[in-house]
């Protein structure tokens, strides 16, 4: 019952994030908490892991996003940075870091740039590692002052940066998003508006799911999942 409740809660919070922009960050993080709880309980029960609960950790099957190119570029930068850090940590045999996870972040960054359309690419490929070179096992999260495994802090920083990129551009849509062209038929403005709203909600659900997966990784790697570590008081 607890497993099913956590699974349903994760899906419901993701739905909240997709339908209410003002609660996007809240819904996304609560979804991640519930997703993590479902994963822990599912492991004990032999049930499917969180990756099969309707959440996505990649954008491989996403063909379009109704979101601003600038916002997608900013997310690509944070994903690429996380991939670079994970590659470094994997080489240092840091707990939970792996080349496959690094590749997942980098692949997501590439997909975001592709979805952004004909825009500049902000990815730097190489990033400053001075803050973690001597802290490959544990590090202090600069956002909260909490000490946690370096891989966990890396994932949480990625989640936060992705969230900031989304919230900073939530009022903008993509100029090349599919399915949002106004209807040319007279008397059909409501149908066009409904279609645009559905595309927008689908986009926010996809982005919320992606960010939740990053936070859920952080929890799995040892980042505190308590509200005090995630939400401003």
């Amino acid at each position: 019952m607890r497993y099913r409740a956590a699974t349903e809660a994760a899906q419901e919070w993701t739905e909240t994030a997709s339908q209410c922009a003002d609660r996007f960050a809240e819904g996304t993080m609560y979804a991640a908490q519930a997703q993590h709880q479902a994963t822990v309980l599912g492991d004990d029960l032999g049930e499917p892991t969180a990756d099969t609960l309707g959440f996505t950790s990649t954008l491989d099957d996403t063909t379009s996003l109704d979101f601003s190119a600038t916002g997608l570029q900013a997310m690509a930068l944070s994903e690429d940075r996380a991939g670079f850090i994970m590659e470094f940590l994997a080489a240092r045999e840091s707990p939970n870091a792996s080349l496959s996870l690094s590749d997942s972040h980098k692949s997501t960054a590439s997909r975001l740039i592709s979805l952004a359309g004909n825009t500049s690419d902000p990815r730097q490929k190489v990033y400053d590692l001075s803050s973690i070179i001597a802290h490959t096992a544990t590090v202090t999260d600069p956002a909260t002052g909490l000490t946690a495994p370096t891989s966990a802090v890396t994932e949480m920083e990625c989640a936060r940066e992705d969230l900031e990129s989304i919230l900073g551009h939530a009022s903008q849509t993509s100029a090349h998003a599919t399915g949002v062209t106004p209807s040319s038929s007279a008397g059909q403005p409501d149908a066009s508006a409904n279609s645009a709203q559905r595309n927008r909600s689908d986009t926010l659900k996809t982005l919320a799911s992606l960010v939740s997966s990053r936070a859920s990784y952080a929890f799995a790697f040892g980042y505190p999942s308590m509200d005090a570590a995630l939400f401003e008081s």
Side-chain angles (χ1 to χ4, degrees):
M1 291 177 64
R2 291 171 58 202
Y3 169 76
R4 290 175 180 172
T7 300
E8 292 173 1
Q11 295 168 344
E12 289 170 1
W13 276 116
T14 301
E15 189 66 28
T16 296
S18 71
Q19 298 295 331
C20 181
D22 290 341
R23 302 187 69 186
F24 184 86
E26 177 189 14
T28 298
M29 283 302 183
Y30 277 135
Q33 285 179 321
Q35 182 183 8
H36 175 60
Q37 184 180 21
T39 300
V40 173
L41 294 171
D43 287 342
D44 292 339
L45 296 170
E47 294 288 342
T49 63
D51 284 342
T52 64
L53 296 176
F55 287 85
T56 178
S57 58
T58 70
L59 297 174
D60 292 346
D61 297 327
T62 302
T63 58
S64 67
L65 288 173
D66 183 11
F67 207 74
S68 76
T70 304
L72 297 180
Q73 288 173 301
M75 289 183 68
L77 180 61
S78 65
E79 290 286 337
D80 194 59
R81 182 187 296 112
F84 180 78
I85 295 173
M86 279 297 176
E87 182 178 11
F88 169 79
L89 293 177
R92 296 295 183 93
E93 298 184 347
S94 180
N96 298 305
S98 67
L99 291 179
S100 62
L101 187 53
S102 169
D103 290 343
S104 178
H105 279 292
K106 292 180 179 181
S107 175
T108 298
S110 295
R111 189 68 184 139
L112 285 163
I113 291 298
S114 176
L115 291 167
N118 188 21
T119 58
S120 59
D121 188 343
R123 290 175 294 174
Q124 301 172 23
K125 304 301 182 180
V126 177
Y127 301 87
D128 180 17
L129 296 174
S130 58
S131 63
I132 65 169
I133 285 178
H135 304 89
T136 57
T138 61
V139 70
T140 299
D141 183 355
T144 63
L146 297 172
T147 298
T150 307
S151 57
V153 173
T154 298
E155 290 296 333
M156 186 54 68
E157 285 186 328
C158 181
R160 288 199 194 99
E161 290 173 1
D162 282 351
L163 265 180
E164 290 176 2
S165 299
I166 294 167
L167 296 175
H169 301 87
S171 62
Q172 305 172 34
T173 58
S174 170
H176 62 277
T178 60
V180 294
T181 304
S183 172
S184 59
S185 301
Q188 297 297 326
D190 290 344
S192 177
N194 288 339
S195 176
Q197 182 59 43
R198 283 194 300 272
N199 285 333
R200 188 61 169 168
S201 295
D202 288 345
T203 288
L204 292 178
K205 180 179 287 188
T206 297
L207 296 178
S209 178
L210 180 67
V211 176
S212 289
S213 75
R214 278 38 182 155
S216 186
Y217 282 146
F219 300 149
F221 296 164
Y223 196 91
S225 60
M226 58 189 178
D227 286 3
L230 305 176
F231 302 102
E232 294 182 2
S233 57

